[in-house]
Amino acid sequence: MYRIYVKYKDDVHMRVLCEETSVEFEIRDYFSFFVANYRFHPKFKARVWNGKINLYNRSNKLLYRGLLTELIKFCIDRKYQMDIDPILLEKNEITEEALSEFLNTITKYTYWDHQLDAIHKAIKNNRLLLLSPTSSGKSLIQYSLLRYYDVKSLVIVPKINLVNQLKTDFQDYAKGTDWIA
């Protein structure tokens, strides 16, 4: 039976150590995906890159902390044993009712179930890796989490127009409250 050791590294990463090198390859393959249209990328055409993004780095043994739940599923499916650093399992206790009360104080917008679920999971687990389609309300989720944690934050987006869009969205969400975006 294989054993995987998961250690706290920092707020972004965890270190995943395995007794067998073959398990490292399994983890790497499980936590990798092909980029859309990778075949057209110049690096793929030049045979310098295989078109995959690997979320597990075998050289430094790092995996994003937001993927801990997926790593646990990976181990359960394969019947691998795990030793997890207790700090990685710390949870915030917040009831759905308390969260709803808080959200009602920060905006007049109505949340969809998937938004409430994402916000609740992010607060409970101190992080969330969220893949969500266009127009699914990601900016309202971000706004809500920024308001919940109430600390200076930097939101990074890939294009200038998204900066302006987020600013406008946040100002709209905050109307009628004392929060300034």
Side-chain angles (χ1 to χ4, degrees), residues 22-74:
S22 62
V23 176
E24 286 184 348
F25 284 105
E26 280 186 70
I27 293 170
R28 185 207 56 199
D29 291 345
Y30 186 83
F31 290 101
S32 67
F33 59 92
F34 283 102
V35 173
N37 299 315
Y38 69 93
R39 290 184 178 96
F40 306 108
H41 196 284
K43 288 187 177 181
F44 178 80
K45 288 182 176 183
R47 299 177 189 224
V48 197
W49 175 54
N50 67 358
K52 276 190 171 181
I53 300 289
N54 296 310
L55 301 174
Y56 174 65
N57 185 327
R58 281 192 54 243
S59 63
N60 60 19
K61 317 291 189 219
L62 295 181
L63 181 67
Y64 294 104
R65 280 186 60 188
L67 294 171
L68 179 61
T69 305
E70 289 302 315
L71 183 62
I72 292 170
K73 288 178 191 173
F74 168 88

Side-chain angles (χ1 to χ4, degrees), residues 66-84:
L67 294 171
L68 179 61
T69 305
E70 289 302 315
L71 183 62
I72 292 170
K73 288 178 191 173
F74 168 88
C75 290
I76 290 171
D77 290 347
R78 288 159 181 77
K79 296 182 177 33
Y80 294 167
Q81 294 181 349
M82 291 185 81
D83 287 332
I84 303 173

Side-chain angles (χ1 to χ4, degrees), residues 131-142:
L131 298 173
S132 191
T134 303
S135 298
S136 61
K138 291 180 295 292
S139 63
L140 183 57
I141 293 169
Q142 292 171 10

